[in-house]
Amino acid sequence: MKSMLFLVCILSLISCLNERPCQNFELGETFGFSYQEQVTHCTEPISITFLELSQDSRCPENVTCVWQGLAQIKLLVSVNGQEKPFDLSTYPPHQGIPSEIVFLGYKIALVDLKPYPNTTKKYRIEDYQAYLLIDKVEE
């Protein structure tokens, strides 16, 4: 009996090791994740990876600018195993780059990108966090 219990425990442990870690971000609520991080929802078939900071021309916090500027990031979105890269902008559609997209039943919007530029601070790419809002939609 003890050997059977031991075998069940070992098999359970092995099956847990093969599972991908998940993050239960709430659909309809803004959440943040880091550069090069992948977030995978625990119950929805969606994962997103923050691939690249393509540009950040936002007006620094401590400067007065004529235009607010924008930041652009590249995400890899996977739904039910189908992957596609997308560019999103912090500024509503600018030069063909949207601030939100719809892919296989999910609307993904770039809400914010932090840190915000500042002329007195230097940021590394690893310091960046994208803030997204994801909702299910009918296509």
Side-chain angles (χ1 to χ4, degrees):
M1 185 66 167
K2 286 183 181 180
S3 61
M4 184 62 125
L5 182 59
F6 178 74
L7 181 60
V8 169
C9 289
I10 294 297
L11 290 175
S12 296
L13 179 62
I14 289 170
S15 70
C16 288
L17 292 175
N18 291 330
E19 291 180 13
R20 293 175 65 183
C22 61
Q23 175 185 351
N24 249 338
F25 55 85
E26 296 293 325
L27 296 179
E29 292 184 19
T30 301
F31 71 96
F33 67 116
S34 300
Y35 170 74
Q36 293 292 310
E37 181 180 2
Q38 179 184 49
V39 291
T40 301
H41 198 279
C42 292
T43 58
E44 297 289 330
I46 183 169
S47 68
I48 299 177
T49 306
F50 181 175
L51 292 178
E52 178 181 309
L53 172 64
S54 305
Q55 71 166 304
D56 191 354
S57 64
R58 296 175 292 174
C59 182
E61 295 173 316
N62 54 340
V63 174
T64 302
C65 298
V66 176
W67 186 58
Q68 70 185 24
L70 62 92
Q72 180 181 326
I73 64 171
K74 182 179 290 294
L75 300 175
L76 180 64
V77 180
S78 175
V79 176
N80 287 319
Q82 294 185 48
E83 292 184 338
K84 186 171 180 183
F86 290 97
D87 289 311
L88 292 178
S89 169
T90 57
Y91 191 80
H94 180 73
Q95 297 179 344
I97 307 298
S99 58
E100 63 182 44
I101 53 98
V102 174
F103 181 61
L104 298 176
Y106 292 91
K107 181 170 84 171
I108 302 157
L110 177 59
V111 175
D112 200 1
L113 181 69
K114 293 182 181 177
Y116 206 83
N118 187 306
T119 60
T120 63
K121 299 175 186 172
K122 289 273 188 194
Y123 296 110
R124 299 171 304 140
I125 189 70
E126 296 83 16
D127 295 331
Y128 283 87
Q129 285 221 326
Y131 290 84
L132 302 181
L133 176 63
I134 301 175
D135 274 315
K136 280 182 120 170
V137 295
E138 296 288 325
E139 285 191 286

